[in-house]
Amino acid sequence: MVQNGKVIEVKNLTKKFGDFTANSNLTFSVWKGEIFGFLGANGAGKTTAIRILCGLLEPTSGEISVAGFNGYTQRNKIKRNIGYMSQRFSLYEDLTAKENIRIFGGIYGLTNKEIKVRTKQLLAEIDMEKQADWLIAALPLGWKQKLAFSVAMVHNPKIVFLDEPTGGVDPITRRNFWEIIYRVARAGTTVFVTTHYMDEAEYCDRVCILVDGVIEALDTPLNLKTKYGANNMDEVFLKLARKVTS
Amino acid sequence: MKSRFAHFAKKEFLHIFRDTRTLIIIFGIPIVQLLMFGYVITNEIKDVKVGIYDPAGDYLSQELITKLTSSGYFIPELIITSEKAIEPALKSGRIKMVISISPQFAQKFYKDGVASIQLITDATEPNTASLLTNYASAIINEFASDKGIGSQSTIPFEVRVRMLFNQDLKAVFMFVPGTMALILMLITAMMTSISIAREKELGTMEVLLVSPLKPVQIILGKVFPYIGLAFANSIIILLLGYTVFGLPIRGSLILLLAVCFLFILLALSLGILISTVVKTQQIAMFFSMIALMLPTILLSGFVFPIESMPKVLQWFSVIIPPRWFIAALKTIMLKGEGIALVWKEMLIMISMSLFFILVSIKKFKERLG
C-alpha cells in the first residue's frame, strides 16, 4: 500500500436525526489508492456516513475533508472528484448501456469526444462491448451492477464510494466485481466501500467496523484477526458486536 | 461542448420517446377527451322526438305543428289520438315531450283572442325538459305574434333575449377551455410528479444529487420536456376546437398562448411540489388524480358554474388554479378582450406558481438536512 497522502479526513463526525444518533464521533482517514471497507450490521450507520461524505446529508457536527476539499464549504468541488454507486444499481432501465454512460459523462462535463473514448474503454473493461446497445432492463443483475460501477467511474474520480455494491448477487459475480475494484484501486483511485459481507472485508486494505454508530475497530484485516485471536473477519465482527451488546 | 444541463434534459426526452404508451397518453387523451366532451356531453336541442295531440285538427293548428316540426329541434314521432294516451306515451320513453293543442284552436284564437297549448315533458331529465319547453314556447310565441294576435296584445312588454358571446349556446365553447385545463394539468403536473418520483424510486435521484448538477438544474431538466409537450398539446386542442367545433378565438392569439404558458408553469410547480412530498410513482399518480383532477373538473367552473355553487365552495374555488385559467381563456377566446380584463387572472397564476415553487424548495431543503 502506497501511503502518499490522505484523501479523506474525518474528525469527530456526528449525525443526529432528532433523538437518534446515527453516527457518533467518527474519526478516521483514508489514504490515496486504498480500498477502505466500512463494515457494520444493518442500521449501524454505514449508509448515513457515506451519504454525508458524498454531500447528500449535512452532518450535525465534526470536520470533514474529501479529496482535499472542505465538506461544508466546497461541496461542489468534492462532487466533481467523487463517484457514487448506491445500494440500488441506479441506472435508467429504459435506456441502453451506452446511453447511460453518455448521460452521466455529459453530467460530469466530459466532451463528446471524451465520452466516446471513455465508453469504449469502460465497456471493454467489463467485457460488455457486445451489449452496448442493450436496454438495461434486459441485462442480468450482475451485469447491471458492473455497469453501474463503470458509470460511477466515468469521469475518472479520485475517490469512488460504493454503498453495499454486492447486495443480492451470486458469489461468482461478487468475486468478479472485486477484481474490478482491485484494478481501479491499483490505478490510483481510492475505493470507499460499505458492506455487511464479512468475506468481502478480507479483500479490503483496511476496515473500519461500525457498531451502533460508533467506530469499534479500525485496522488491516490481518491485524484485527491477530488482535482478537480470530480465524476470519466474521469472528472478529461477532466478538465486537457481542462486546457492545453484553 | 454541450452543457451538463443539456445532456441531462436530453435524457428526459429519450425517456418520453422510448415509452410509446406514455406518448399515446399524452397526445391521444386530449383528442379523445375533446371529441368526447364536444359531441357527447351536450345540452343542445336537436331532433328531439315529440308526440302531437291535436284534437282541433284545423288549418291553424296544422300550421303551428308544421312550424314546430320544421324548426329542426323537434321531430313528430307519434300522433296521439286521445288525452289518456299522453302519459303512457311519455312513459314508454319514445318521446320526450307532448304538444297538446286545445280543441277548436283556430276558432278560439280568432274569436276569443286566447287559445291554449299545453307542453307536457318528461322531466326525468330536468335540464332537458326545461330546455325543450323554452324552445317550444319561443316558437309558439313567435307564431302567435306573426298571426297578429296573442302575446303582444295582452302583454305590454316584449322581452327579447340575446345571448352574447355564444349566440347559439354551444356547449362545446364551455368544454374546450375546461378540457384544456384538465389536459394541461394532467400532462404537466401528473407527468412531472411521476417522472421525478421515478428517479427517487429507482435510486437515480441520489446519483444525480451526488453529481455536480445543482438541484435546481435537476428539477429544471426534468420538467423542461414537459413544458414543450404541454405547449404542443394546447395548440392541438385549440386547433381542434377551432376546426372541428368552430370555436372562435376573438382575442389576441399571443395573449392566449401566454396565458396557456402561464398555466403550464403553474401546473409544473404543482407537480414539483407533489414530487417533493411523495416517494413513489404510484402515490404521485394517486395524489395528482385526487388533488388535481377532481377539483379541476368539479370546482373550476369547467362543468358547474361557480356562481351557482354554495358560498363555501365558491370561496374554495378561489384556490383552485384552473379556475383562473378557464376564466382567462373564456374572456380572451369568446369575448375577445385583451390584457386589461385578464391581468388579474394572470397575476394570480403567477403568484400561485411562485408560492408552490417556494414551498417545494423549502420541502426539498428539509429533506436534505
Side-chain angles (χ1 to χ4, degrees), chain B residues 164-175:
Chain B
L164 271 183
F165 312 125
N166 183 4
Q167 308 261 12
D168 306 325
L169 291 177
K170 279 199 178 163
V172 69
F173 287 14
M174 303 294 116
F175 283 122

Side-chain angles (χ1 to χ4, degrees), chain B residues 353-363:
Chain B
S353 314
L354 285 178
F355 174 75
F356 292 139
I357 288 172
L358 283 178
V359 177
S360 310
I361 292 174
K362 199 168 162 275
K363 286 263 167 218

Side-chain angles (χ1 to χ4, degrees), chain B residues 281-324:
Chain B
Q281 297 177 67
Q282 292 239 314
I283 298 174
M285 183 145 123
F286 185 73
F287 222 99
S288 312
M289 284 285 186
I290 303 294
L292 302 180
M293 306 293 276
L294 285 181
T296 304
I297 295 174
L298 300 176
L299 293 174
S300 67
F302 172 13
V303 178
F304 306 109
I306 293 167
E307 295 75 24
S308 49
M309 286 176 193
K311 265 278 178 284
V312 181
L313 286 184
Q314 282 194 34
W315 293 329
F316 191 64
S317 79
V318 169
I319 60 161
I320 306 291
R323 176 201 161 142
W324 305 106

Side-chain angles (χ1 to χ4, degrees), chain B residues 106-117:
Chain B
Q107 199 187 344
K108 279 187 182 162
F109 185 76
Y110 286 115
K111 235 171 117 187
D112 310 339
V114 179
S116 69
I117 300 153

Side-chain angles (χ1 to χ4, degrees), chain A residues 62-208:
Chain A
E63 283 169 44
I64 306 162
S65 157
V66 177
F69 300 108
N70 186 296
Y72 290 92
T73 55
Q74 295 173 300
R75 275 209 206 157
N76 261 325
K77 287 191 173 145
I78 292 179
K79 285 180 172 181
R80 279 164 219 268
N81 287 291
I82 61 169
Y84 173 70
M85 176 178 163
S86 78
Q87 288 172 7
R88 296 167 284 179
F89 317 125
S90 6
L91 298 166
Y92 295 104
E93 301 255 323
D94 54 340
L95 305 181
T96 66
K98 224 168 155 182
E99 283 166 338
N100 269 286
I101 295 177
R102 196 198 304 149
I103 285 160
F104 283 98
I107 288 174
Y108 278 96
L110 270 61
T111 62
N112 281 336
K113 211 178 147 194
E114 284 171 329
I115 291 174
K116 253 187 200 157
V117 174
R118 202 69 187 119
T119 305
K120 248 189 190 163
Q121 207 180 344
L122 287 171
L123 288 174
E125 273 172 25
I126 55 172
D127 271 333
M128 276 182 61
E129 291 121 313
K130 279 186 193 145
Q131 290 79 23
D133 293 315
W134 286 28
L135 291 185
I136 300 300
L139 294 175
L141 191 62
W143 291 17
K144 282 186 200 173
Q145 170 214 37
K146 283 194 277 184
L147 190 67
F149 180 73
S150 298
V151 166
M153 291 295 298
V154 70
H155 54 300
N156 277 315
K158 287 190 180 138
I159 310 162
V160 61
F161 290 91
L162 311 173
D163 193 6
E164 301 197 0
T166 53
V169 292
D170 61 85
I172 297 169
T173 318
R174 257 168 64 193
R175 178 75 224 181
N176 203 289
F177 188 75
W178 273 92
E179 277 163 18
I180 301 173
I181 291 181
Y182 269 120
R183 195 158 62 213
V184 167
R186 252 180 269 129
T189 304
T190 307
V191 180
F192 189 107
V193 56
T194 72
T195 181
H196 56 253
Y197 292 115
M198 291 307 144
D199 58 325
E200 287 187 348
E202 311 265 2
Y203 306 146
C204 298
D205 292 322
R206 279 194 305 152
V207 292
C208 173

Side-chain angles (χ1 to χ4, degrees), chain B residues 259-280:
Chain B
V259 168
C260 292
F261 190 70
L262 263 187
F263 184 66
I264 291 170
L265 292 185
L266 177 53
L268 278 179
S269 60
L270 257 176
I272 294 171
L273 180 62
I274 290 175
S275 68
T276 57
V277 283
V278 303
K279 283 205 175 73
T280 65

